[in-house]
Amino acid sequence: MNATGPLVVVGDALLDRDVRGVVDRLAPDAPVPVVDVTADVSRPGGAGLAAGLAARTGRDVVLVTALGEDEASHTVREALRGRVRLVELPLRGTLPVKVRVLAGGRPLVRVDRGGGEVGPAPSAVREALAGAHAVLVADYGRGTADAVRPLLADAARRTPLVWDPHPRGGPPVPGARLVTPNEAEAAALAPGDGHSLAEQARRGAELAERWHAVSVAVTLGDRGALLTRPGSAAPMLVPVPYPATGDPCGAGDCFAALAAVAFAEGALPEEAVQRAVAGAAAFVAAGGAADPGIWRTGGPDGRAGSAAGDAFELAARVRVGGGTVVATGGCFDLLHAGHVGLLDSARRIGDCLIVCVNSDASLRRLKGPGRPLNPLEDRMRVLAALGSVDAVVAFEEDTPQNLLRALRPDVWVKGGDYSAEALPEAGVLRGWGGQTVVLPYLDGRSTTGLADRAARAAAGARTAP
């Protein structure tokens, strides 16, 4: 295995297109909804999405895929430029395009078109796989994996290989480190009765033995993933770390990509699946494949940073769909039950919750020397992991008023026992017709109190005989 080589993604790139709009009437000539289009966005899908997600982790990524000279192929090339290195197989025909029509964020119909024949692999494919630190096969049954199958079989003998299968594709090559069918795919490949965990474990172990794979992870949606091995009666269930509600489109690609990245960093299958489950949950919570933050190279000027999806893109998207944008803010230095209760209640007010967090310098000015206890990056990461939080964004000033003018939330939530009208943010919200509300904290919960108790406990431990 090459210790410094890239992650090589092999598979079928697609062009995914989301046509978003609102529905408030039926067509006069048929009982079908009329969609007034508000947005039309195209982005790489299939192996293109998997490669883009892997590249966001900071790894060097090579994508081996078939592209032609049609408009969809050119769109995918341009979107991937500067993110991944492309090694192309010829495509005779057009790149497949998958169009989703959504209203209020919910899919109404999907229309697929295009397709072609994959040509022979150039020598650059062999060179890319020879230098790979890990390999991900994102097989969509369109011919790319079949065109390089002998090279993939050779790679699996020396390099960690993750195979994300498709019902129309061929079986994984022997020796795959991890194969990642979803629940429906596993059921189709290894039929049986029911969907219990015991039945999923049987299917996974049977498929691992059939494919001569080191392990199989059957992904179970919001239940997590079940890691199995050939002939094993003791699978490992990896649950989702928090409830993740959102668009699941692309979650399987995210899972496989993050597992491959983990293998490239030396992880065992158990570690790779745990990281992939957590990452896929965060991906869904941030909006899935439709999250525009996937294809952004950095935050707009003047923002300290963001996590769990771009807050500004999210707010715009929710407003376009007629939803209510809720925001709240604070230091969140030591997350406690009072914070969690506030965030859960705030999320129920509207259609998304954006948390505005004081930067380290801002928090220090507010709380004094010795703070923060946790740096900004850690505070944002913990908040982003909560199922109630859709996006996190930091601000450098003493108050979030400038940030709020850019976000323009419909509702601003604060926790405490003071009057909403006394808050400086209330006047800012009134500028665009927004509302400020106060929610009660749980009594006796505060970061300062936790820190004081920890300090007293540490002092007591030092003086104990």
Side-chain angles (χ1 to χ4, degrees):
M1 182 174 67
N2 188 330
T4 59
L7 169 64
V8 177
V9 179
V10 179
D12 308 299
L14 315 169
L15 181 65
D16 285 348
R17 181 179 163 206
D18 278 358
V19 179
R20 295 180 173 272
V22 295
V23 172
D24 57 15
R25 66 192 187 279
L26 296 177
D29 53 343
V32 295
V34 175
V35 180
D36 289 320
V37 176
T38 57
D40 191 335
V41 180
S42 296
R43 59 182 182 273
L49 173 61
L53 291 169
R56 278 177 60 81
T57 68
R59 288 210 67 86
D60 181 21
V61 176
V62 175
L63 173 59
V64 176
T65 193
L67 294 171
E69 297 304 323
D70 55 298
E71 182 179 352
S73 293
H74 289 310
T75 300
V76 167
R77 284 192 191 94
E78 186 60 32
L80 293 173
R81 188 187 308 276
R83 302 175 187 277
V84 305
R85 289 185 284 141
L86 280 172
V87 175
E88 295 186 22
L89 283 72
L91 177 65
R92 291 185 285 272
T94 61
L95 195 72
V97 180
K98 296 185 175 183
V99 182
R100 292 195 306 168
V101 180
L102 304 98
R106 297 180 180 276
L108 292 180
V109 66
R110 198 182 91 181
V111 180
D112 292 1
R113 59 182 173 82
E117 181 181 347
V118 178
S123 59
V125 175
R126 181 184 298 275
E127 295 168 6
L129 288 170
H133 196 42
V135 177
L136 166 62
V137 181
D139 186 13
Y140 274 74
R142 300 278 183 168
T144 302
D146 289 339
V148 298
R149 178 171 288 273
L151 298 177
L152 293 172
D154 182 58
R157 287 192 284 269
R158 64 177 187 276
T159 306
L161 184 145
V162 176
W163 192 293
D164 191 12
H166 192 279
R168 291 203 302 259
V173 295
R177 187 74 57 90
L178 180 70
V179 186
T180 62
N182 63 33
E183 185 174 2
E185 291 163 348
L189 292 164
D193 297 327
H195 299 278
S196 66
L197 288 179
E199 182 64 13
Q200 301 297 349
R202 180 198 66 79
R203 287 174 176 142
E206 177 183 325
L207 291 172
E209 189 166 355
R210 183 192 307 174
W211 291 331
H212 302 284
V214 175
S215 58
V216 167
V218 181
T219 57
L220 305 173
D222 59 8
R223 291 186 293 164
L226 195 66
L227 179 64
T228 61
R229 297 180 185 274
S232 172
M236 184 177 82
L237 177 63
V238 181
V240 173
Y242 54 86
T245 58
D247 187 349
C249 180
D253 295 301
C254 181
F255 180 93
L258 295 181
V261 168
F263 281 125
E265 295 173 353
L268 297 172
E270 292 82 359
E271 297 169 317
V273 171
Q274 290 180 60
R275 288 170 57 177
V277 167
F283 170 82
V284 171
D291 174 19
I294 294 171
W295 305 106
R296 293 180 64 89
T297 56
D301 292 342
R303 302 168 194 168
S306 63
D310 186 279
F312 295 82
E313 299 280 3
L314 172 66
R317 189 167 70 244
V318 170
R319 275 195 294 270
V320 163
T324 297
V325 178
V326 181
T328 189
C331 300
F332 300 99
D333 199 3
L334 284 179
L335 198 67
H336 53 71
H339 291 140
V340 173
L342 172 72
L343 296 172
D344 285 346
S345 298
R347 181 60 177 84
R348 289 193 289 269
I349 293 173
D351 298 287
C352 73
L353 175 62
I354 297 169
V355 180
C356 306
V357 186
N358 295 75
S359 71
D360 289 346
S362 173
L363 193 157
R364 191 173 298 112
R365 290 192 299 269
L366 183 65
K367 299 293 186 179
R371 301 286 293 274
L373 302 172
N374 286 304
L376 176 64
E377 182 179 350
D378 288 359
R379 290 184 282 130
M380 294 180 72
R381 183 174 181 181
V382 170
L383 285 165
L386 297 177
S388 58
V389 176
D390 298 290
V392 187
V393 62
F395 59 93
E396 296 285 357
E397 300 84 3
D398 292 341
T399 72
Q401 294 182 56
N402 290 334
L403 177 58
L404 292 176
R405 290 188 181 97
L407 276 175
R408 297 176 67 87
D410 301 294
V411 181
W412 172 250
V413 175
K414 285 293 289 184
D417 55 1
Y418 38 78
S419 166
E421 290 306 309
L423 292 169
E425 297 93 334
V428 177
L429 267 288
R430 283 195 296 270
W432 56 84
Q435 176 68 47
T436 302
V437 299
V438 173
L439 296 178
Y441 268 141
L442 289 174
D443 286 341
R445 274 79 169 184
S446 74
T447 299
T448 301
L450 282 174
D452 288 345
R453 289 198 297 275
R456 288 196 299 270
R462 285 195 297 270
T463 58

